[in-house]
Amino acid sequence: DAGITQSPRHKVTETGTPVTLRCHQTENHRYMYWYRQDPGHGLRLIHYSYGVKDTDKGEVSDGYSVSRSKTEDFLLTLESATSSQTSVYFCAISGTGFTGELFFGEGSRLTVL
Amino acid sequence: DQQVKQNSPSLSVQEGRISILNCDYTNSMFDYFLWYKKYPAEGPTFLISISSIKDKNEDGRFTVFLNKSAKHLSLHIVPSQPGDSAVYFCAASANGQNFVFGPGTRLSVLP
């Protein structure tokens, strides 16, 4: 199994509070991604990183920011959580970008009340 | 408008029989396709992929077929086993760009 750890695995928070999800990898892969999974939508890309301090937006990036100060860590921040951000968030890593398979973490379930 | 569609939200198959999961796409630029399997409370795991230069790729019990003219791919699982019960996602990318995932099909393999 790819060494990917997400934390926290579960979080309940209130509207308007900031939330940070952490993804940690031990594979030294260059590419890291944050997806959200919602019923009827599959997985949608929020942000991704192609190296330390190099990040780019995905298709559903509004309301989210990311940071990658080390190869192994990729943080997803919701500056002011809204109920529409209730979802399951998956981190993924890849050594080859979008030309090869992605390895996913176990997910972080976020509930915004 | 969804670029990758999996029109069957669920599918039930008897153990030992063939499971066929379908995926349709609208973007003719897609050139790389993958299937992922997902169990509850776990992350998706890679199953099999196919490039647009092929029309078939096989890996053990899993075969993916690609029909570019119809913009259609299918995943065949033969024989189906109870452990195959999961949600299956189809994904596609164009020219090394972001993967677009379908909404998933829940497969139930009945003993």
Side-chain angles (χ1 to χ4, degrees):
Chain A
D1 288 345
I4 311 170
T5 306
Q6 292 186 228
S7 60
R9 295 290 314 279
H10 300 272
K11 185 171 182 67
V12 179
T13 191
E14 294 189 348
T15 298
T17 60
V19 175
T20 295
L21 305 180
R22 179 181 183 242
C23 179
H24 179 79
Q25 62 147 329
T26 57
E27 305 296 319
N28 201 36
H29 278 336
R30 176 182 174 189
Y31 297 88
M32 298 185 76
Y33 313 83
W34 278 107
Y35 284 86
R36 60 178 288 175
Q37 185 200 357
D38 303 290
H41 289 278
L43 293 111
R44 292 179 293 174
L45 182 66
I46 305 171
H47 281 279
Y48 67 99
S49 169
Y50 46 96
V52 174
K53 294 187 178 7
D54 292 323
T55 65
D56 207 348
K57 295 179 180 180
E59 62 181 303
V60 290
S61 59
D62 287 348
Y64 302 94
S65 62
V66 291
S67 65
R68 191 170 179 197
S69 58
K70 297 185 288 185
T71 299
E72 57 266 34
D73 290 326
F74 192 33
L75 304 181
L76 177 71
T77 297
L78 292 66
E79 300 290 348
S80 177
T82 68
S83 58
S84 64
Q85 294 176 310
T86 293
S87 186
V88 181
Y89 292 86
F90 288 99
C91 174
I93 64 175
S94 165
T96 57
F98 292 116
T99 58
E101 63 187 273
L102 306 180
F103 300 95
F104 284 88
E106 293 186 320
S108 296
R109 181 175 293 275
L110 175 67
T111 301
V112 183
L113 302 176
Chain B
D1 187 30
Q2 285 187 334
Q3 296 187 71
V4 177
K5 303 176 185 182
Q6 294 177 257
N7 292 321
S8 299
S10 62
L11 175 69
S12 292
V13 170
Q14 210 69 35
E15 181 179 4
R17 306 294 291 268
I18 183 171
S19 294
I20 300 176
L21 294 97
N22 294 305
C23 177
D24 296 289
Y25 59 95
T26 58
N27 187 346
S28 59
M29 299 300 293
F30 284 148
D31 56 7
Y32 186 62
F33 305 87
L34 307 89
W35 284 93
Y36 281 85
K37 178 171 72 173
K38 185 184 179 304
Y39 294 121
E42 294 184 11
T45 55
F46 171 74
L47 207 51
I48 193 168
S49 64
I50 188 167
S51 162
S52 60
I53 62 173
K54 293 186 169 184
D55 54 17
K56 176 183 173 181
N57 189 24
E58 200 170 344
D59 184 0
R61 297 186 297 113
F62 302 91
T63 302
V64 56
F65 296 92
L66 176 61
N67 182 334
K68 289 184 289 293
S69 60
K71 295 191 183 67
H72 175 83
L73 65 157
S74 60
L75 174 68
H76 292 214
I77 307 173
V78 184
S80 300
Q81 299 173 354
D84 295 329
S85 296
V87 176
Y88 289 79
F89 292 100
C90 169
S93 81
N95 298 321
Q97 299 303 307
N98 174 32
F99 287 121
V100 179
F101 284 81
T105 296
R106 182 178 302 277
L107 174 66
S108 299
V109 180
L110 309 173

